[in-house]
Amino acid sequence: MADELRARITSGELRPGQRMPTQARLADEFGVERGAVRQALRILQSEHLLTNVSKGAPATVAPDLGKALTGPGAPPQPTMVALAPRIAAAFAAPHVEIDALCLTAVSLTLAIGEPLRQIHAGQLKPAKVDVRVLLPSRDISLAFPTPVDATADAADEQLRLRWLAQRNAQGQVLRHNLQALRSTHGIDVRISFRALPFTPPVKLYLLNSTEALFAYYTLARSEVEIDHQQLEMYDAPGIQSTLFAFEQGAGLRDTTFVEQSHVWFNALWETISSELVLTS
């Protein structure tokens, strides 16, 4: 029951500030006792998705779901649920700093669209934006995506070129959209890319030196059509990866994770990474 109600909240079916159905209605809908309803509501309250959970009036959906979905104690969420609201919150700072390590930058490019919309609508106006992105080098043999048939050299090269085109396209869109803020809104923008000599098994987003969002790339078997042929491959769809959130000051574990993630990112940026050019 908690899973179903959580899905209704995160999908927008139940909106921030909206009153929930009464416990009696929920008990009837799910065919359970009211004690089970109260337990499910308390779970969502502990995740900061609901407020005013009591035996009296109906509970209310939390007004700040962005923080609730990724703050301390919140359940992990798919990248495309959790990343956009946290990126938008980061853009409320005068100096925005975003570091990202990922496979193609698809999730980052999509997520950054929301704060860009808010800037163009006059709702946000940071003075400075610094973005650093680490992506795999075009010169390496990728661990994934890779053909299921390990002997298929031609298929391996086709998948590599497909990934490279996606990496370059997403990076170019991200750079163009951010740099356009200079001319349209007078914001000081710097965006830099560096190439990694390996395929990252995880993705990491560091926001304003206060948050670390972390996810595993989990491989799955799938099919893709290239040149009118179906290829079976192992790949990891990053937008579906479950994102775990850590926040500076939310306890020793979270604070240490955020600090060490910055140390790790900076070490990669300053040592074994190399210049990255977003062309084929």
Side-chain angles (χ1 to χ4, degrees), residues 18-41:
Q18 181 178 344
R19 296 185 78 176
M20 296 284 290
T22 64
Q23 293 183 14
R25 284 188 59 188
L26 290 172
D28 288 341
E29 177 183 352
F30 288 93
V32 298
E33 299 290 336
R34 289 203 190 184
V37 174
R38 286 193 291 271
Q39 184 177 2
L41 295 178

Side-chain angles (χ1 to χ4, degrees), residues 47 49 58 148 170 173 215 252 260 277:
E47 297 172 359
L49 293 174
V148 171
Q170 295 298 324
V173 169
L252 180 60
Q260 289 302 306
V277 179

Side-chain angles (χ1 to χ4, degrees), residues 10-177:
T10 58
S11 69
E13 182 180 343
L14 293 169
R15 299 180 302 279
Q18 181 178 344
R19 296 185 78 176
M20 296 284 290
T22 64
Q23 293 183 14
R25 284 188 59 188
L26 290 172
D28 288 341
E29 177 183 352
F30 288 93
V32 298
E33 299 290 336
R34 289 203 190 184
V37 174
R38 286 193 291 271
Q39 184 177 2
L41 295 178
R42 289 192 192 104
I43 290 172
L44 299 180
Q45 184 180 42
S46 72
E47 297 172 359
H48 310 293
L49 293 174
L50 293 179
T51 61
N52 303 326
V53 174
S54 67
K55 294 183 180 180
T60 304
V61 179
D64 186 2
L65 287 181
K67 191 65 175 176
L69 292 173
T70 57
Q77 296 285 337
T79 294
M80 287 317 298
V81 174
L83 186 58
R86 295 317 309 144
I87 294 281
F91 266 77
H95 183 189
V96 181
E97 295 179 280
I98 298 175
D99 292 335
L101 179 148
C102 42
L103 187 65
T104 61
V106 170
S107 298
L108 180 62
T109 302
L110 291 172
I112 219 161
E114 175 58 20
L116 293 183
R117 182 195 67 79
Q118 293 184 31
I119 289 173
H120 293 310
Q123 298 168 343
L124 292 173
K125 183 64 184 293
K128 187 175 182 181
V129 176
D130 284 315
V131 177
R132 299 188 298 173
V133 184
L134 283 170
L135 297 167
S137 168
R138 57 167 295 167
D139 300 322
I140 66 172
S141 177
L142 290 171
F144 60 89
T146 188
V148 171
D149 181 0
T151 65
D153 292 339
D156 188 60
E157 179 62 10
Q158 286 177 311
L159 288 176
R160 191 192 73 83
L161 291 176
R162 176 177 175 270
W163 161 81
L164 182 61
Q166 188 176 50
R167 185 206 73 168
N168 291 343
Q170 295 298 324
Q172 289 168 356
V173 169
L174 181 64
R175 182 172 59 189
H176 171 78
N177 288 347

Side-chain angles (χ1 to χ4, degrees), residues 149-280:
D149 181 0
T151 65
D153 292 339
D156 188 60
E157 179 62 10
Q158 286 177 311
L159 288 176
R160 191 192 73 83
L161 291 176
R162 176 177 175 270
W163 161 81
L164 182 61
Q166 188 176 50
R167 185 206 73 168
N168 291 343
Q170 295 298 324
Q172 289 168 356
V173 169
L174 181 64
R175 182 172 59 189
H176 171 78
N177 288 347
L178 285 171
Q179 289 181 341
L181 296 177
R182 289 198 193 117
S183 58
T184 58
H185 296 279
I187 298 172
D188 181 10
V189 175
R190 290 185 298 178
I191 178 167
S192 307
F193 296 88
R194 298 282 289 174
L196 292 169
F198 61 88
T199 309
V202 300
K203 62 195 310 186
L204 176 70
Y205 306 97
L206 303 172
L207 311 180
N208 293 347
S209 300
T210 61
E211 288 185 82
L213 306 175
F214 172 91
Y216 295 102
Y217 281 118
T218 303
L219 294 179
R221 188 167 178 157
S222 61
E223 285 191 357
V224 63
E225 182 177 325
I226 300 179
D227 295 334
H228 307 292
Q229 291 185 340
Q230 294 296 122
L231 291 178
E232 284 194 315
M233 66 175 180
Y234 294 118
D235 198 9
I239 61 174
Q240 298 175 18
S241 299
T242 300
L243 208 61
F244 296 84
F246 301 84
E247 187 173 1
Q248 187 91 23
L252 180 60
R253 182 186 71 99
D254 278 42
T255 296
T256 303
F257 187 90
V258 173
E259 292 174 350
Q260 289 302 306
S261 294
H262 276 281
V263 171
W264 184 64
F265 186 96
N266 287 332
L268 291 174
W269 187 271
E270 295 165 3
T271 58
I272 62 174
S273 66
S274 58
E275 182 182 0
L276 187 148
V277 179
L278 294 171
T279 61
S280 300

